[in-house]
Amino acid sequence: MRIVKFIAVSFIATTIALESSVAKAQDPLDASQSKEAQEWRVLLIIKPETDLRLKDQPPIKTKIAADNITAVKKAFLEYTPYWVSKVSEGRLRWKAEAVISPTPVTAVSEMGKGTYWVAPWNIPEDIQKFVPPGIYDGVFVYWKAAEEKGNAINTGFGWSIGPHDAANNCGYTCVHYANSDLWGRDSEFTEVFLHEWLHQLEGFYGSKGVKLPKGGLHGATAYGYEHHPTQFWKPWYRDFIAGDVRESDGSKTGLGEKAWSLGTIRDEQRIFTPQYLTPELKKQNLFRNGSFEGADLFDWTFVSWRGITNSGKSVSVVAHDGKQKNAAVLNAAEADDLGFRQKIPVKPKTRYLCCGWAKTEGVTVVEQGGTIGANLSVWGGYEHSSFRLTGTTDWTYLSFIFDSGERTTVEVGVRLGFYSSTVTGKAWFDDICLIEIPEKAAK
């Protein structure tokens, strides 16, 4: 699981609709059609209705009008691609789509004390329906949390994270409602999509070692950039994208060609699919007996939060691939967090993919506030696969990436439950693999 910091931005609450352009005599839109332009695919999920029942707060019920939906779609589908091409000087191309979700926002997450946003884990049905793996680089959600002259919660305007497993490993942004007349091509409100998208890229490429300016995307003033009355922050974005932000020693930082050479976010998503794990890569598996053959499982250490010793074993069932004889089974008759793990030597500052298959029967999260059922995880931290299987499911592919950081060994394996997420039920695991993966995205 990637460790990504939440990044917020507040925009000026006044309308600015002046003619604006980046200072460049030649219109770079023509250049955006060149073969060198890198394509970024993004999706806007519009949530027209909100129906919130938060603890200790009055209910909030809102609906976004049709003219506002039309306005925000135009800002996302037409105006923002224009500005992406402008500020990247034709190097990047935004391929945007928009869908309208049929379900209301019914859950939000707190981001700081008293501030809320729609996180990707708050809309799993939309992610599953509209965001298949490997199709999009970034996902944006547009919603409304303030009733007309009524109840409201504090939301901020834009919140973003880098690629996250709960968003099917896309970058993710939540944008709050603004009036229809604010979504003009040259409005600073429309710039929110450009700004938040760059936060997604910042999280992605920063995790790959691309040197970013001090303060990241919010470091503009430290480098002498100022808010412009008509161009707003676009000159800063231009240099940030080009990797042309000059440090005091004369070196340059920002995204630039080093970032683009690493591929896009959706290129990286291929790592999370079963097809990525070729027979050659499987030979590099760091797990011993990842298929759980043999009754005793000497290579694996069984652990139980309750200290129960007979809740895990290898069983002769129809294994995932139909060829091997056995799979591991974890059975929590009482609320527990249990698993099989191995202590694996790893290289410091190296990325690893942990993946494999699981199926469940009657898995229920017992602990209040818990959400994690069957998963793959690293013990001693919060790195785990995203699907967090609960209920009764067929064989499902689980995967996550972790960075070893300063560690030279990790304890990693299969798990039923998690910290503060004890469960009951049964889960089977098979074909578990742990391999080192490159910094460059898979092609």
Side-chain angles (χ1 to χ4, degrees):
M1 175 178 134
R2 295 178 177 80
I3 301 175
V4 187
K5 292 182 179 179
F6 292 106
I7 310 170
V9 58
S10 297
F11 279 72
I12 299 173
T14 56
T15 307
I16 305 176
L18 304 173
E19 185 64 25
S20 167
S21 64
V22 174
K24 188 172 179 70
Q26 179 182 357
D27 188 342
L29 283 175
D30 294 336
S32 72
Q33 304 305 316
S34 71
K35 292 182 180 179
E36 294 182 356
Q38 188 181 66
E39 184 175 87
W40 287 78
R41 300 176 186 173
V42 292
L43 176 70
L44 175 66
I45 301 175
I46 300 172
K47 302 285 285 183
E49 296 185 30
T50 296
D51 190 358
L52 285 177
R53 301 288 191 273
L54 299 179
K55 185 179 180 180
D56 300 327
Q57 299 228 26
I60 296 174
K61 195 162 188 174
T62 68
K63 188 168 184 178
I64 301 175
D67 66 320
N68 189 275
I69 291 175
T70 299
V72 78
K73 284 175 66 176
K74 193 161 189 175
F76 190 83
L77 299 175
E78 297 181 29
Y79 301 153
T80 305
Y82 169 85
W83 285 117
V84 167
S85 186
K86 278 275 191 182
V87 297
S88 72
E89 298 181 326
R91 185 64 180 85
L92 307 178
R93 178 167 57 243
W94 236 47
K95 184 176 181 181
E97 300 175 38
V99 296
I100 297 178
S101 171
T103 59
V105 174
T106 58
V108 291
S109 294
E110 196 166 8
M111 179 80 72
K113 189 174 181 180
T115 301
Y116 298 88
W117 75 313
V118 179
W121 47 87
N122 295 136
I123 54 166
E125 297 85 1
D126 289 310
I127 298 297
Q128 183 176 4
K129 181 176 181 180
F130 299 121
V131 191
I135 302 300
Y136 300 104
D137 298 288
V139 179
F140 295 73
V141 169
Y142 181 63
W143 72 303
K144 184 179 181 181
E147 296 177 340
E148 300 296 334
K149 299 180 181 180
N151 298 322
I153 54 175
N154 183 31
T155 63
F157 191 29
W159 296 91
S160 291
I161 54 176
H164 196 284
D165 48 14
N168 268 343
N169 299 296
C170 292
Y172 181 87
T173 290
C174 166
V175 173
H176 190 253
Y177 177 89
N179 290 337
S180 300
D181 59 346
L182 302 180
W183 294 112
R185 192 195 74 169
D186 304 307
S187 163
E188 191 165 17
F189 284 86
T190 295
E191 192 174 275
V192 67
F193 292 122
L194 173 62
H195 181 102
E196 298 300 331
W197 175 62
L198 290 177
H199 274 315
Q200 296 180 14
L201 270 59
E202 177 183 39
F204 179 62
Y205 290 118
S207 71
K208 290 177 168 295
V210 174
K211 187 178 180 182
L212 300 173
K214 297 179 184 67
L217 191 63
H218 288 174
T221 56
Y223 291 87
Y225 293 82
E226 297 180 353
H227 184 269
H228 192 276
T230 59
Q231 294 183 26
F232 315 124
W233 291 106
K234 292 185 178 72
W236 162 249
Y237 300 150
R238 178 188 59 210
D239 291 348
F240 187 90
I241 287 171
D244 205 24
V245 178
R246 191 172 296 275
E247 298 286 346
S248 58
D249 62 1
S251 64
K252 294 181 179 180
T253 58
L255 298 177
E257 293 306 314
K258 180 179 180 180
W260 317 136
S261 71
L262 295 172
T264 65
I265 294 174
R266 70 180 183 279
D267 290 331
E268 176 101 329
Q269 290 169 13
R270 295 188 179 96
I271 293 176
F272 297 94
T273 65
Q275 292 74 27
Y276 176 76
L277 203 64
T278 63
E280 285 302 311
L281 286 177
K282 286 183 179 180
K283 292 178 182 178
Q284 301 173 23
N285 191 1
L286 297 175
F287 282 131
R288 302 174 301 280
N289 190 13
S291 58
F292 300 100
E293 298 302 308
D296 295 321
L297 296 182
F298 291 117
D299 295 303
W300 293 90
T301 299
F302 174 73
V303 290
S304 165
W305 173 71
R306 282 191 173 273
I308 298 173
T309 60
N310 60 351
S311 298
K313 59 183 178 179
S314 172
V315 293
S316 296
V317 296
V318 178
H320 164 255
D321 64 7
K323 299 176 183 178
Q324 297 165 336
K325 297 178 181 178
N326 287 23
V329 61
L330 296 170
N331 187 8
E334 300 178 73
D336 205 348
D337 168 18
L338 62 165
F340 286 109
R341 68 190 184 192
Q342 288 184 21
K343 191 172 185 178
I344 305 289
V346 292
K347 301 175 185 176
K349 299 179 181 178
T350 302
R351 297 197 310 161
Y352 291 87
L353 169 69
C354 183
C355 57
W357 295 84
K359 71 174 185 176
T360 58
E361 180 181 291
V363 171
T364 301
V365 178
V366 176
E367 193 162 354
Q368 185 174 1
T371 61
I372 304 173
N375 66 96
L376 311 177
S377 80
V378 178
W379 273 259
Y382 291 91
E383 299 151 312
H384 58 80
S385 56
S386 61
F387 282 141
R388 314 169 188 185
L389 295 180
T390 58
T392 298
T393 64
D394 201 353
W395 287 109
T396 302
Y397 187 70
L398 305 178
S399 62
F400 72 104
I401 290 175
F402 67 92
D403 192 300
S404 59
E406 301 301 322
R407 293 172 289 188
T408 56
T409 60
V410 294
E411 289 190 298
V412 60
V414 303
R415 194 166 183 173
L416 181 58
F418 205 74
Y419 307 122
S420 302
S421 189
T422 53
V423 305
T424 58
K426 187 182 292 187
W428 293 261
F429 298 88
D430 201 6
D431 296 333
I432 308 302
C433 193
L434 178 69
I435 60 170
E436 180 182 336
I437 58 173
E439 283 301 317
K440 186 171 181 178
K443 289 291 187 182

